[in-house]
Amino acid sequence: MKTTYEIVALPGDGIGPEVVREGLKVLEAVARKGGRTFEITEIPCGGAYMLGLGNGTTDWPEGALERCKKADAILLGAVGWPNPKDGGKTNVSFPDGRMAGWSAVIGVRTNLDLYANVRPVKLYPGVKTMIHGTPRSVWEPDKVDMVVIRENTEGLYSGLGGIFKRAGSEQIAVDDRIITREGASRVIKFAFDLARRRNKGAPEDGKLRVTCVVKDNVLQGCKFFKRIFNEVGERYPEVDKESVLVDSFTMFLMTRPEHYDVVVTTNMFGDIVTDLASVLQGGMGMAVGANTGDFHAMFEPVHGTAPGLVGDKANPIATVLCIKELLDWLGERHRDEVLPRMARAVEQAVSGLLAEGTLLTADLAAPGTKAARTQEVGTHLAERAAGLLNP
């Protein structure tokens, strides 16, 4: 049985290196207790790399993509850094306009065919959501437990289009959205299979349910996506199936989150609604992203580089929960029964910390209470998770 796994860590920019450090701290703690070894290869990437070692031409080292392809899994921090040439008004970018960090995000998704972006949306007991800038209880924890599946390799992010000029002046901007039968079919199938594996059902009624989010009253690509959803859904008679317009879904997401079990949608819609869904779970510091395919996976907190939080102020819990998702994915892929136990210990550690509410970073701490530092939270979670893991 496989007991050693190779992980590529892409810390990136801003708070990326800080939260990745804490995530790996938790991983190494449960690995020691669980009798597994994780060999970590750290590869710099992003805007800061381009400004320095990249000499303004590349956003990560030569051979980085090949290392990612050979790894068992990838952990990404965050990419994107203010451009000093214009006082930080824009981020560092390639001459063609792609952000510095494109290689580690869009490039990895595309080249490793990570077609399903998996975003768990779960509210843990003790977490207050930020409404009007004040942490307060709005949603009940047992009513928020869904997973949003976003198509990850085509749609509006396919890269087709451009800026067109007339007489040297920019006149037209075009972004073409690509929806293919293969791309839609496989991500929709992924969503139905996930509903079966979760076997939880929606908090509202316990029914296995997959919800298709589209704008099929206007867009041809969404009409096509919905038709494929209906075709694939016929193979899952035990799963409730429904479709909803994306604009209506944004309202229902906030007012009736307990209705949803698994949600599937196209690339751009998925990008938007999952960031909105993070409000349900306590903010972006709690939001996990798993980019998965049939053979590779990359896990990332989705909060961005947050330059204002650099200096041990960021919430590392999203990254720690990425470790939980990474362990679950590797455990299933390699049929390693120890890794899911490690994943459960990580999640139990997070849940326990949040329920106690005494060691929280500024985004979660109650007004007037002392905010914990990034390293404090990471160290506590590492020790707690290791203590919860039965060898």
Side-chain angles (χ1 to χ4, degrees), residues 36 70 78 109 143 170 192 239 256 261-262 273 279 281 289 343 349:
R36 295 293 181 265
K70 293 178 181 178
R109 290 177 184 175
K143 298 293 180 65
E170 294 180 343
F192 277 102
V239 180
R256 194 185 173 191
D261 178 18
V262 175
V273 301
V279 176
Q281 58 191 134

Side-chain angles (χ1 to χ4, degrees), residues 65 102-103 105-115 152-154 157-158 186:
L65 180 60
W102 186 96
S103 301
V105 182
I106 308 299
V108 169
R109 290 177 184 175
T110 303
N111 285 289
L112 274 62
D113 200 21
L114 308 181
Y115 61 85
N152 210 32
T153 58
E154 48 185 49
Y157 291 175
S158 59
R186 65 183 183 175

Side-chain angles (χ1 to χ4, degrees), residues 45-59:
C45 63
Y49 181 87
M50 178 175 275
L51 289 173
L53 295 175
N55 296 316
T57 61
T58 182
D59 58 355

Side-chain angles (χ1 to χ4, degrees), residues 6 11 22 43-44 48 63 69 72 85 103 119 122 141 160 168 177 182 193 205 242 280 286 294 299 301 327 345 387:
E6 181 181 350
E22 301 312 312
I43 300 176
K69 288 179 178 178
D72 291 300
K85 293 182 179 180
S103 301
R119 291 282 293 270
K122 182 175 181 178
L160 299 181
R177 186 170 79 142
E182 178 185 3
D193 288 340
D205 52 17
E242 64 179 10
L280 296 168
M286 298 293 297
D294 293 331
F299 302 84
L327 290 167

Side-chain angles (χ1 to χ4, degrees), residues 5-11 20 24 27-28 38-44 61 63-64 66-68 70-76:
Y5 298 89
E6 181 181 350
I7 305 298
V8 164
L10 304 171
V20 164
L24 293 177
L27 177 62
E28 290 164 359
F38 288 84
E39 297 177 350
I40 311 298
T41 299
E42 188 170 306
I43 300 176
E66 287 67 31
R67 292 302 298 267
C68 289
K70 293 178 181 178
D72 291 300
I74 304 161
L75 178 65
L76 171 67

Side-chain angles (χ1 to χ4, degrees), residues 4 54 118 128 133 162 166 179 203 212 255 261 272 274 387 391:
T4 299
V118 183
K128 303 287 193 296
R166 183 180 294 123
I179 306 293
C212 178
T255 59
D261 178 18
I272 295 168
T274 50

